[in-house]
Amino acid sequence: MGRESSITRIVGPENYAKLQQFKCLIVGAGGIGSELLKDCILMGFGEIHIVDLDTIDLSNLNRQFLFRQKDIKQPKSTTAVKAVQHFSNSKLVPYQGNVMDTNQFPLHWFDQFDIFLNGLDNLAARRYVNKISQFLKKPLIESGTSGFDGYIQPILPGNTECFDCTKKETPKTFPVCTIRSTPSQPIHCIVWAKNFLFNQLFTSDQSSTTGDSDGNDWGTDDKEEIERIKQETNELHDLQQIVHHQDKVHITDILKKLFVKDIEKLLQLDNLWKSRAKPTPLTDDLIDSAKDGHDSTDLNAIWSLEEQISQFINVTEKLMDRIVEEDYNIEFDKDDQDTLVFVATAANIRSHIFGIPIKTVFDIKQIAGNIIPAIATTNAIVAGLSTLTALRLLNFLPYAKTNSGLDVNMAFTARASNLSKDRYLSNPKLAPPNCNCAVCAKVARGVVKITEKGLEKLTLSQLIDLLKKKYNYPSETSLIDTSDQRLLVDFDFEDLLDRTLSQAKLHDGSVILFSDEEGDESEMYRKPLEIYLDVVEESAINSEIELPALEIPLFTPPKQEEEDEGKETSTEESPEKEEDKNGIVILDEDEGKDEKDGTTTKRPRSPDQTENDSKRAKTSKNHNDENGVIELD
Amino acid sequence: MEPSQATAERLTRDEIDLYDRQIRLWGMAAQARMRSAKVLLIGLGSLGTEICKNVVLCGLGHLTILDDTVVQEEDLGSQFFIGSEDVGSLKLESAKARIQDLNPRVHLSFDTQSIESKDADFYKGFDLVIGTELNTSQMVKLNELTRKYNIPIYLAGSNGLFAYIFVDLIQFDAEDEKLKGSQPTEKGQISTNTEVTEVKTRTDEDDDKKVFEVINTRHHYKSFQQMIKTASLEGRLNRRQIKRLSSAVPLTLALLRAEHEIGQLNFLTLKEKAVETCRQLGVPETVLNDTYVEQFTKQEGVQFAPVSAIVGGAIAQDVINILGKRQPPLSNFIVFDGITLDMPIFEF
C-alpha cells in the first residue's frame, strides 16, 4: 500500500486524483501556517504555495515546529518549505512578501488557486484576503488562535457569511485625559509611558503632538485641564533637550518634572479629585536618595520604588548614549530591552503615584508589545480543522456531499474557551451572507481587465461612460478610490474627469467604487459596484479594457434615520458613535484637502467604511494627541 | 502571573525567552512543573506523532516513546517524522533525530520493544502514560497496570474521519477560575464523575470590579474496561440532543467493544454491534446513520493527518494542563466527528 492509501479510503480514488491536481494558497507561515503546510502536504494537495512577510524569532520556536534555533532571522516561508522536504510529495512554492502587495501578488496570481487557507495574525490582511476571495469567488478558510482559543470560518463567496459580515473588535483606545491626568489601571500608565513619554523624549517626529487643536475629544470638558495637558506637552521639549545633549547629570530633573512638579500641578485641579483618590507625588529627596541605589535585574520580580527610580536613571543614560548614534530617533520595540525597561519603570513609578498596582517588566512587555499568547496545541487543532474543512468545501468527501456552503460547519474551541463543558468544539452551521455587510452584500463586485496602455489612455469620464452603459447606471454617479477613500468624481467635483486613469493615480490593484447617486423614479438605486483594476498583457484581452459580465441589482436604500441608529453594520465602530460603554472613544477625522493634487478627501458614503476606519485607527497612533485618542498598538 | 519563586527549580532566562508565548498563558510555575515530568508515549503513528510534536515543543522534561514498528509506505501519508528513504527501517530509529531536533532541551528515550514485552515495573517511573492506536485488549491490560501504580493515562485512536480519546486519571483534584456570575457556584456533585469541593473568590488586582470564583473540583474516573461495559446516556439527553448525537459515538464504542481484528467487520456485522451499543447507551437505534456505518467499515483504523492534528492537539493540551495543574482535565470519553466537526465530551 502506498502513501495515498489512507486518504483514498477517505475521499475515494477519483477525488484523490483530483486533489493531486489542486492548488492551494496558505497565507502565513507562522503558528497556524506551519501546521497548515504539514496537513496539506500529508493530505496530498498537488501544489501548495505559501506566503509570509516575516522572519523567524526565538519566541516562535515553542509552536512553529518547522523552525529551529539556527533559523532565527531567516524568512519563514522559505525555511518552512525546506523543513518539510523529507515528507513532502507536493510541489511547494514559498514567497517572502506581503500578501497585500499588488506588485508581487496581482489578482491574476491569486486566480490560479482552488482555495485559500488563512494563517494570519492581523485584521488588515484577513480583510484583504477575504476581499480577494469575494472578487474571485473562490473559497477561503479563515482561522485564528489566541492562547487556548481558536476558530475556523469557512467562506464560500455569495453563499455564506464573509469575514466582514460580523463585527470585529477594534483596537483599544483611551481618551486623552485618562492617560494624561487620571489613570486608574496599569495599562493607562503603560500607554502614557510608551505612546506619550517615550515618543516625546526619544522619537524624532514630534510635530503632531504640538498641534493640539480644539476640535478634539479629550474625554473632558474641563478647560483648565486641557490647558494643563497642552502646557505639559510643551514643557516636555525642555526634557527632550536634556536627552539630546546627553546631559546625564540632569536625569533626575526629568524625574522631578514628571513625578513631582507635574503631579503637584494636577493636584491643583480640584475638579479632578472630587470622586477620585488623589495621586501622591514623589519628593525630590526620595529621587535623589534612590539614584545611587541597588539595581534589580530580575525581569520577573516586582521592583521596589527605589529600584524603579534607579533603573529609570540607568536606562535613560544608556538611551542617551544611543540616541546620538541612532540619529536622534529611537523607536519603542518590546524586544529592545532598554526601551522596554524605560517604559516599564516610568509606567510603574506613575502607577505608584496613582495607587495602581506595580507590574513586572515581563508583564509590561506583554501589554506594551501587545503580545498574544500562542501555543502549539491550539494551532495544531485549528489547522487540522481548517484542512479537514477544505475537503468539505471542495466537495471531496463522498459520504458528506456539500450542496451548499450552508451545509458546512464552522468550529471554535468551546471547552478551552470556557463556553461549554460537554463539547470540546462547537460547530455551528455557516450562515448566509449578512445583508448589511459592507463587503459582500451591499456592493456588487467585478474585476475589470485593462492593459497598461488603457490606463495611460482612458480618461475617468470615458471609464464612467463605459460603466454607465454596460450596467445601466443613471447619469449621476460617483467614483471613489477605496485605497485612500479619495473622491475621484461626483456631481460637484468634476475636476479630474479629463484625467487618464494613470494620471488619477489608478494602477494595477486599485479598487474603485462606482455608485448610483441619483436613483430612479421609484427611489430605487443600482447597487454600488466595487471594481478591481487588474492590469493584464495586451494579448489577454481584445481591446484596452474588458468589463465583466454582471447583473447589478436595484435596491431601496434605508432611510437616513435608520442608518443613524447604527443599523448599518460597519464592521468596526462607526466613527459617528461617540462613546461606547467602555468609555472608549473613537474620533472622526477632520475633513482635509490636498491642494496639490486638486483632489478632495471626503468621508464617503461608501459602504467600505471599514478599511477607512482601520486606516484612521492606524494613523491615529502617530498623531495621538491630535486625534484626542491614544491607541495601544 | 504566578510568582516563579513558588517552584523549587527556577526557569533559566533562555527558557523564559524560548517559552515566552506559553508562559504568558500558563505561568512560570506550570512551565517548571512540566520540565520535571516524565511521560511515556506508546505508538508513534499519526496520532502519536502529533502528540509527540506538541509535548516536545512545549518543554516537557522527559519523554519515552515506545514503538516497535517498521516504517511502511502508507505511514508516509499521515506522519512527518519519517521520509520515503526510511521505509523498511525501525520507525523510532528513523524519527529520533528529527524529534530531538524539535527541542534539544527535552530528555528523550526511544524504546523499540513491543508493548507485550513490557512488565509492570516498566511503567512505575512515569508520571503519565499516553497510549495511541492500541487494540481493546492491549488498552484493558495497560490500564490495569496504570491503575495499579496510580498513573494517569490517556488512550486514543482514530478511524479515518473519526477518533476518540479516553481519559483515566483515577482521581484528580483541579482548580479553576471563572468570572463570578449572578448564580454563585455551590459545593457538591455537579455531574456523574465530578464534585465541587471548595469555592473561593478573588478580586482582580487591576480592576476591582472583576471578581473571580476559584473553584476546586474532584474528578473520579473509571477504568477503560468499566467505561466500555457500563457507558450509558440513559436519561441524560433530551430529544434534541439525541437527534444531534453523532452516529460516530455508538460506532466508535461498538468497535472498542468488539473482540475482532481490524477489517474483520463488514457493514452488517458492524451495524449489529452498533445497534447493541445503542441499547447499552440507552439511545434509539435511529441515531445510527447507514452512511456512517459504511464509512466506519471502510475507515476502521485509518490514520488521517488533520484528524490526528485535532485529537493529538486536544490530548497534548490536556496533558500539559494536568502536569501544569491548570484547568480541570477532560473526563472521560471524547468522540470526534470529522464531517460535522462535532466533538462531544461524555462523562461515562
Side-chain angles (χ1 to χ4, degrees), chain A residues 1 5 9 35 38 42 62 68 86 148 300 357 362 366 374-375 377 399 415 422-424 427, chain B residues 21-22 24 28 50 53 73-74 80 83 101 205 244 294-295 298 317 328-329 340 342-343 345:
Chain A
M1 285 198 285
S5 70
R9 279 164 79 184
E35 291 279 339
K38 173 229 350 161
L42 292 174
N62 78 321
R68 307 285 173 262
H86 70 276
F148 296 122
N300 303 297
F362 181 84
Q366 175 158 350
I375 51 176
T377 48
Y399 291 96
R415 184 177 182 273
D422 55 9
R423 306 206 101 74
Y424 199 87
N427 59 332
Chain B
R21 294 304 185 272
Q22 63 198 42
R24 293 183 189 282
M28 306 274 179
E50 284 288 342
K53 172 203 68 189
E73 187 88 26
E74 63 168 306
F80 55 84
D101 198 33
E205 57 173 27
R244 209 187 140 182
E294 239 176 274
Q295 289 184 88
K298 276 199 180 158
Q317 187 54 62
T340 60
D342 198 9
M343 196 166 173
I345 304 169

Side-chain angles (χ1 to χ4, degrees), chain A residues 3 86 115 128 294 298 332 337 349 445 466 626:
Chain A
R3 72 159 68 219
H86 70 276
I115 190 164
Y128 185 82
H294 168 72
D298 184 353
F332 174 81
Q337 197 171 315
I349 297 169
R445 256 171 217 287
L466 284 172
E626 199 166 57

Side-chain angles (χ1 to χ4, degrees), chain B residues 52-304:
Chain B
C52 170
K53 172 203 68 189
N54 294 335
V55 296
V56 168
L57 280 177
C58 78
L60 184 75
H62 302 259
L63 177 69
T64 300
I65 307 175
L66 178 69
D67 188 309
D68 66 344
T69 61
V70 165
V71 177
Q72 312 282 320
E73 187 88 26
E74 63 168 306
D75 293 340
L76 303 178
S78 68
Q79 299 164 36
F80 55 84
F81 288 134
I82 48 172
S84 47
E85 72 284 359
D86 300 319
V87 173
S89 313
L90 272 175
K91 192 186 278 173
L92 285 188
E93 286 301 327
S94 308
K96 69 188 196 187
R98 293 196 179 103
I99 297 171
Q100 187 70 72
D101 198 33
L102 271 184
N103 189 347
R105 293 166 193 278
V106 178
H107 300 279
L108 293 171
S109 310
F110 301 95
D111 191 328
T112 55
Q113 291 185 317
S114 72
I115 181 171
E116 279 74 23
S117 71
K118 296 297 178 190
D119 58 13
D121 282 351
F122 172 74
Y123 299 97
K124 260 187 185 165
F126 295 106
D127 298 310
L128 188 138
V129 174
I130 306 166
T132 63
E133 313 288 355
L134 298 170
N135 65 37
T136 298
S137 69
Q138 285 172 323
M139 289 194 274
V140 169
K141 275 186 211 142
L142 179 62
N143 192 201
E144 276 168 11
L145 292 174
T146 55
R147 288 221 140 210
K148 187 171 161 192
Y149 294 115
N150 204 23
I151 305 169
I153 188 169
Y154 289 76
L155 296 169
S158 55
N159 298 296
L161 289 170
F162 314 96
Y164 67 88
I165 305 170
F166 167 78
V167 187
D168 175 19
L169 308 181
I170 305 162
Q171 181 180 305
F172 192 88
D173 292 334
E175 190 178 283
D176 192 26
E177 263 194 12
K178 64 168 197 187
L179 269 179
K180 193 173 175 176
S182 53
Q183 279 279 347
T185 305
E186 283 177 24
K187 281 210 249 183
Q189 198 79 17
I190 48 168
S191 58
T192 325
N193 302 336
T194 311
E195 56 178 322
V196 172
T197 51
E198 203 181 340
V199 183
K200 287 174 286 194
T201 55
R202 183 182 73 82
T203 308
D204 189 84
E205 57 173 27
D206 295 344
D207 181 357
D208 55 19
K209 280 173 209 125
K210 265 193 191 166
V211 180
F212 294 94
E213 277 188 334
V214 183
I215 303 163
N216 287 62
T217 46
R218 174 159 291 181
H219 304 256
H220 303 276
Y221 288 83
K222 290 192 180 79
S223 71
F224 179 71
Q225 188 161 33
Q226 207 185 351
M227 186 280 292
I228 49 175
K229 274 197 184 145
T230 61
S232 171
L233 293 168
E234 193 85 62
R236 281 159 67 176
L237 302 181
N238 61 33
R239 252 177 52 207
R240 233 181 97 228
Q241 288 167 319
I242 287 176
K243 212 178 145 204
R244 209 187 140 182
L245 187 70
S246 167
S247 301
V249 177
L251 281 161
T252 302
L253 277 168
L255 286 178
L256 292 174
R257 281 155 45 93
E259 297 287 334
H260 70 293
E261 298 285 320
I262 282 188
Q264 231 178 25
L265 296 174
N266 61 29
F267 179 88
L268 288 175
T269 49
L270 177 59
K271 177 143 189 190
E272 199 180 310
K273 300 266 179 203
V275 169
E276 274 171 38
T277 306
C278 285
R279 276 189 214 122
Q280 182 192 311
L281 284 172
V283 297
E285 291 165 30
T286 48
V287 305
L288 278 179
N289 177 328
D290 277 356
T291 65
Y292 272 69
V293 182
E294 239 176 274
Q295 289 184 88
F296 266 77
T297 320
K298 276 199 180 158
Q299 299 175 16
E300 185 185 0
V302 168
Q303 306 189 15
F304 190 41

Side-chain angles (χ1 to χ4, degrees), chain A residues 307-318:
Chain A
E307 284 170 332
Q308 307 277 0
I309 294 171
S310 154
Q311 279 281 12
F312 178 94
I313 294 170
N314 284 342
V315 81
T316 306
E317 281 180 15
K318 279 193 210 164

Side-chain angles (χ1 to χ4, degrees), chain A residues 65-341:
Chain A
F65 76 107
L66 300 174
F67 308 142
R68 307 285 173 262
Q69 199 100 24
K70 66 174 169 31
D71 300 324
I72 288 170
K73 302 247 186 295
Q74 295 298 310
K76 286 187 175 178
S77 56
T78 50
T79 310
V81 163
K82 275 186 210 146
V84 298
Q85 291 303 329
H86 70 276
F87 69 91
S88 172
N89 207 25
S90 310
K91 182 180 174 197
L92 304 175
V93 187
Y95 306 81
Q96 189 187 9
N98 183 342
V99 76
M100 298 189 279
D101 176 354
T102 50
N103 290 322
Q104 196 178 359
F105 307 114
L107 193 72
H108 44 265
W109 176 82
F110 285 97
D111 207 18
Q112 66 182 304
F113 301 107
D114 298 289
I115 190 164
F116 310 127
L117 302 177
N118 269 355
L120 286 164
D121 64 355
N122 69 85
L123 201 57
R126 285 189 163 103
R127 292 216 155 114
Y128 185 82
V129 180
N130 178 55
K131 241 183 184 182
I132 295 286
S133 123
Q134 295 290 325
F135 270 118
L136 296 175
K137 306 208 172 1
K138 296 208 175 193
L140 161 67
I141 303 181
E142 156 59 21
S143 62
T145 71
S146 163
F148 296 122
D149 309 323
Y151 73 92
I152 63 145
Q153 184 197 355
I155 296 165
L156 214 51
N159 192 195
T160 70
E161 272 187 344
C162 84
F163 178 71
D164 271 325
C165 280
T166 52
K167 200 170 163 177
K168 300 294 180 288
E169 265 180 48
T170 43
K172 208 167 190 176
T173 55
F174 303 97
V176 171
C177 72
T178 306
I179 302 303
R180 298 286 295 274
S181 310
T182 53
S184 59
Q185 290 172 25
I187 190 171
H188 300 150
C189 297
I190 295 166
V191 170
W192 174 84
K194 178 191 154 196
N195 298 47
F196 170 67
L197 182 64
F198 185 89
N199 280 347
Q200 285 292 322
L201 295 184
F202 300 108
T203 310
S204 61
D205 179 22
Q206 299 308 320
S207 54
S208 61
T209 39
T210 50
D212 299 322
S213 85
D214 286 325
N216 290 341
D217 180 279
W218 296 83
T220 178
D221 293 328
D222 189 333
K223 290 221 172 62
E224 225 182 335
E225 191 195 346
I226 294 174
E227 273 316 307
R228 188 203 65 79
I229 291 175
K230 288 182 182 174
Q231 193 197 344
E232 192 183 87
T233 309
N234 291 330
E235 287 166 6
L236 271 182
H237 290 284
D238 301 338
L239 299 188
Q240 196 191 37
Q241 291 312 306
I242 298 180
V243 172
H244 282 186
H245 294 124
Q246 297 176 280
D247 190 357
K248 293 184 186 169
V249 192
H250 287 108
I251 293 179
T252 47
D253 289 355
I254 299 179
L255 283 158
K256 286 171 189 171
K257 154 91 172 100
L258 296 172
F259 301 121
V260 183
K261 280 187 216 113
D262 285 352
I263 305 296
E264 280 168 355
K265 275 192 204 153
L266 252 185
L267 279 168
Q268 290 165 13
L269 303 176
D270 293 332
N271 285 339
L272 291 181
W273 315 113
K274 279 181 184 151
S275 57
R276 291 187 184 93
K278 286 184 181 176
T280 316
L282 303 185
T283 61
D284 289 0
D285 289 349
L286 179 74
I287 291 169
D288 288 327
S289 68
K291 84 180 163 201
D292 302 314
H294 168 72
D295 270 1
S296 173
T297 50
D298 184 353
L299 303 184
N300 303 297
I302 299 268
W303 297 345
S304 69
L305 181 62
E306 287 76 13
E307 284 170 332
Q308 307 277 0
I309 294 171
S310 154
Q311 279 281 12
F312 178 94
I313 294 170
N314 284 342
V315 81
T316 306
E317 281 180 15
K318 279 193 210 164
L319 288 168
M320 281 179 173
D321 289 336
R322 284 176 50 184
I323 200 159
V324 180
E325 290 160 27
E326 296 176 30
D327 213 14
Y328 296 94
N329 184 38
I330 301 176
E331 302 268 347
F332 174 81
D333 176 352
K334 67 181 190 307
D335 296 315
D336 176 340
Q337 197 171 315
D338 296 339
T339 66
L340 176 65
V341 170

